[in-house]
Amino acid sequence: MSSILFGRYLPLNSIVHRLDPRAKLLLSFFYIVLVFMANSLWSYVILIVMTLGAILASKINLGFFLKGIRPLLWLIIFTVVVQMLFSPVGGHTYFHWAFLRVTTLGIITSGVIAIRFLLIIMTSTLLTLTTQPLDIATGLASLMAPLRWVKVPVDTLAMMLSIALRFVPTLMDEAVKIMNAQRARGVDFGEGNLFKQAHSLIPLMIPLFMSAFNRAEDLSIAMEARGYQDSEHRSQYRILTWHHRDTVTWLIFLIGFAAILVFRRW
Amino acid sequence: MDNIIEVKQLTYSYSDHERPALSDISFTVRPGEWLAIVGHNGSGKSTLAKCLDGLLPFTEGTITVGGTELTEDTVWTVREQIGMIFQNPDNQFVGATVEDDVAFGLENRQVPRDKMIPRVRAALEEVGMGDFAQRQPSSLSGGQKQRVALAGIVAITPDILILDEATSMLDPQGRTAMLKLVRQLRENQHLTVISITHDINEAAGADRVLVIDDGKLVEEASPEEIFSKGDQLIALGLDIPFIAKLKAALKARGIVPPTDYQTTAEMEDWLWRSLSNT
């Protein structure tokens, strides 16, 4: 588990770290759309150059980065192989057995899939490595703001998201404590067949749920005692500021995105 | 203002219990006073604290805080004047970081952001957590989290501070540091402190002590008077302070100490004097 980089935050001080989380979230979103829109050699070259440029700007060691996505390699290989063997007939057929065949078209599409996979994993990893979870939450809440017009309770969702994030480490610690306490009383976690393994999770899950209920009760009383009535009638301590560097980054990427659309085979 | 809090014939029953958790409780609190409410586990002290802040809807009796009677309509006005700190440091930490947590109460009062920033900073400095503003709760000790909770109270400057067993999950060092801080804040901000506790040493520092047993108010006196009733305290399921234990042990060995309550320094003084006389 610890070798997976995705979802972790790496505190460094680079231009990418200092960008507004809203800018990064939106960029990642449009980037992923563009990855699926790109279909020519040149459009992929532009995407790869943009990705490598962003990684270089983040000051994160490329080797470290590649090592981090290694656990996902099997998934990529599996998809690529399946795509290659089951692809439709097209171009020269190199290999043919029963319903499996390797064709030029198959090799090209599986190559494209591999590149898409890598690019998306790398950008989303870059996003989480360079942005604190809290900033991602604040950024998401701020990006959801227009949904207020369609009666979505954005402030309440933002409050829930921030409390959920704040309790992730607390609940993780507690889960480990309960596991160790149950081990000390003779529970074997991860042993035996599937049924037994699932059964051994009960003495972990039930106390964890019960304690989460108690925590929620305590927390809601504490929030009320501190004057919390509802999410709408509050001011904000944590706000995000959009700097010039965010605009400049967006302009650079807009040029890149436009170039991809130009080089795309329509 | 004569009394900052007046409680008259307060009775509260949880819906799933036969016996009322609180029955016919009446007392008053003077402004600036340090009141300790003691009682064994399940005696109803925490229920009382929650009633005072309007967190539990009581059916009988009245509570008046700072001249306002506590009703469904005035509950938020009453809460403005009261800051509460609860027992579990983790379960009352709302913010994702220390500064967010201190700002939580201010956000609820719709304080504009440029006014919040200096108040949050000042409150953190006051409790000695200025260097921890960006830290996340999981990286703090229990005592530090309770100090952040205290900073959250300092930021909203209430008149009354209720400590609902706020030190019971802390180690002895964290407990001493926390109480020292509360004492200091009380001086600086003229706070009225109500501390609900079963830690008898915490009660020893109060101006007045209320003893609650099974939902009833059984005693109301100064700590000196309360602690001179050593055996009666034990019968109520309470502990006695260290000095009282020492006196009992001396009595058992034929030495007769003074019967009134003494602080550690006074007892030390008495021991020195009686030894140097003989």
Side-chain angles (χ1 to χ4, degrees):
Chain A
M1 279 296 266
S2 57
S3 61
I4 295 179
L5 272 183
F6 183 72
R8 279 206 287 165
Y9 172 68
L10 203 68
L12 284 173
N13 188 17
S14 74
I15 172 91
V16 186
H17 285 78
R18 276 179 276 126
L19 282 181
D20 189 299
R22 287 169 298 182
K24 281 188 271 190
L25 279 165
L26 276 178
L27 271 180
S28 313
F29 176 75
F30 282 112
Y31 178 90
I32 287 168
V33 173
L34 260 289
V35 165
F36 286 101
M37 290 195 62
N39 54 8
S40 68
L41 179 66
W42 278 109
S43 57
Y44 277 105
V45 169
I46 296 166
L47 271 176
I48 291 168
V49 167
M50 279 181 357
T51 317
L52 290 179
I55 291 174
L56 280 179
S58 75
K59 293 191 194 163
I60 296 170
N61 190 327
L62 195 65
F64 176 75
F65 209 88
L66 292 174
K67 222 187 274 173
I69 55 179
R70 206 162 51 183
L72 297 163
L73 206 61
W74 289 113
L75 186 68
I76 299 172
I77 290 173
F78 175 77
T79 323
V80 164
V81 166
V82 168
Q83 177 74 29
M84 193 144 49
L85 291 177
F86 291 90
S87 59
V89 190
H92 182 70
T93 306
Y94 298 99
F95 169 83
H96 190 195
W97 179 79
F99 53 87
L100 301 176
R101 55 167 69 84
V102 176
T103 63
T104 320
L105 183 66
I107 289 170
I108 291 171
T109 44
S110 55
V112 165
I113 292 230
I115 290 171
R116 281 180 178 176
F117 235 120
L118 278 173
L119 287 177
I120 290 174
I121 292 171
M122 280 166 102
T123 359
S124 39
T125 309
L126 183 67
L127 174 73
T128 59
L129 279 180
T130 58
T131 322
Q132 291 198 42
L134 191 60
D135 285 336
I136 294 186
T138 324
L140 274 176
S142 152
L143 289 175
M144 284 193 300
L147 292 179
R148 277 199 196 103
W149 294 99
V150 285
K151 305 265 185 237
V152 177
V154 174
D155 304 288
T156 309
L157 288 173
M159 175 57 82
M160 282 164 61
L161 192 60
S162 116
I163 289 176
L165 276 174
R166 171 253 170 281
F167 273 98
V168 166
T170 312
L171 289 177
M172 293 267 258
D173 285 350
E174 184 164 37
V176 171
K177 248 184 232 165
I178 295 173
M179 259 177 117
N180 287 337
Q182 301 292 29
R183 276 204 188 102
R185 302 162 88 193
V187 178
D188 270 337
F189 288 105
E191 295 285 319
N193 61 30
L194 207 59
F195 180 75
K196 269 187 187 157
Q197 285 197 28
H199 195 75
S200 72
L201 282 180
I202 294 173
L204 169 66
M205 296 316 284
I206 290 179
L208 204 56
F209 267 99
M210 283 310 295
S211 121
F213 283 127
N214 289 335
R215 274 184 203 280
E217 170 101 38
D218 279 0
L219 186 71
S220 63
I221 287 179
M223 284 169 77
E224 213 182 311
R226 291 174 69 182
Y228 180 81
Q229 298 186 56
D230 60 68
S231 292
E232 271 167 49
H233 301 102
R234 305 183 76 233
S235 51
Q236 288 288 325
Y237 178 75
R238 182 175 288 274
I239 56 157
L240 301 168
T241 32
W242 187 277
H243 296 280
H244 285 307
R245 54 172 178 264
D246 299 304
T247 319
V248 171
T249 315
W250 254 99
L251 285 176
I252 294 170
F253 272 82
L254 276 181
I255 295 167
F257 288 164
I260 291 166
L261 292 180
V262 169
F263 284 108
R264 179 186 141 86
R265 273 181 282 119
W266 293 91
Chain B
M1 201 188 334
D2 298 334
N3 292 314
I4 194 159
I5 300 179
E6 281 183 33
V7 180
K8 279 185 195 140
Q9 281 131 31
L10 180 70
T11 300
Y12 181 81
S13 307
Y14 286 100
S15 53
D16 50 345
H17 289 275
E18 287 265 309
R19 199 171 51 82
L22 295 173
S23 59
D24 196 26
I25 288 195
S26 304
F27 66 93
T28 56
V29 187
R30 287 185 298 275
E33 190 178 25
W34 182 310
L35 181 75
I37 301 178
V38 298
H40 61 83
N41 284 337
S43 59
K45 8 182 238 314
S46 285
T47 310
L48 178 59
K50 286 184 187 132
C51 284
L52 288 179
D53 202 24
L55 294 165
L56 285 177
F58 52 93
T59 43
E60 288 168 58
T62 57
I63 294 177
T64 313
V65 178
T68 317
E69 190 185 325
L70 181 60
T71 60
E72 219 170 292
D73 301 323
T74 61
V75 66
W76 294 106
T77 332
V78 166
R79 265 177 215 162
E80 287 283 294
Q81 309 171 51
I82 303 180
M84 263 183 111
I85 299 185
F86 298 91
Q87 180 176 14
N88 190 318
D90 246 323
N91 292 3
Q92 57 181 315
F93 204 111
V94 188
T97 66
V98 166
E99 53 178 356
D100 286 294
D101 192 61
V102 177
F104 182 74
L106 296 171
E107 289 178 327
N108 292 334
R109 285 160 180 78
Q110 301 186 47
V111 176
R113 185 171 183 268
D114 48 327
K115 293 212 175 93
M116 267 197 267
I117 295 167
R119 275 170 81 171
V120 167
R121 199 154 300 153
L124 281 173
E125 288 300 332
E126 180 116 34
V127 302
M129 294 288 288
D131 298 336
F132 295 81
Q134 312 285 335
R135 294 274 285 270
Q136 296 186 5
S138 51
S139 72
L140 301 177
S141 73
Q144 287 172 329
K145 277 177 221 165
Q146 289 301 64
R147 264 149 73 188
V148 173
L150 204 55
I153 306 289
V154 173
I156 57 166
T157 57
D159 299 321
I160 304 160
L161 170 63
I162 300 182
L163 303 170
D164 185 2
E165 300 198 34
T167 60
S168 67
M169 285 176 78
L170 306 185
D171 57 24
Q173 278 173 341
R175 186 175 301 178
T176 322
M178 176 89 178
L179 287 174
K180 198 177 149 199
L181 203 55
V182 172
R183 223 159 268 142
Q184 197 183 308
L185 287 177
R186 184 181 166 229
E187 294 281 306
N188 298 347
Q189 309 201 355
H190 310 289
L191 277 172
T192 307
V193 178
I194 300 180
S195 112
I196 285 155
T197 178
H198 53 220
D199 177 31
I200 223 70
N201 296 314
E202 191 174 325
D207 298 326
R208 203 153 50 99
V209 180
L210 302 185
V211 183
I212 291 186
D213 185 40
D214 289 336
K216 291 187 196 72
L217 188 62
V218 292
E219 196 82 59
E220 181 181 348
S222 66
E224 289 82 3
E225 286 171 88
I226 298 276
F227 296 141
S228 52
K229 314 177 184 200
D231 294 342
Q232 270 172 283
L233 287 179
I234 296 172
L236 287 172
L238 286 170
D239 200 6
I240 51 173
F242 172 71
I243 297 300
K245 280 184 199 163
L246 178 66
K247 283 181 188 173
L250 286 173
K251 223 184 238 172
R253 285 165 180 76
I255 302 163
V256 187
T259 47
D260 55 327
Y261 172 78
Q262 281 160 312
T263 61
T264 316
E266 284 166 347
M267 188 65 190
E268 219 174 82
D269 204 40
W270 180 82
L271 280 172
W272 274 114
R273 267 190 283 121
S274 45
L275 284 173
S276 45
N277 283 351
T278 49

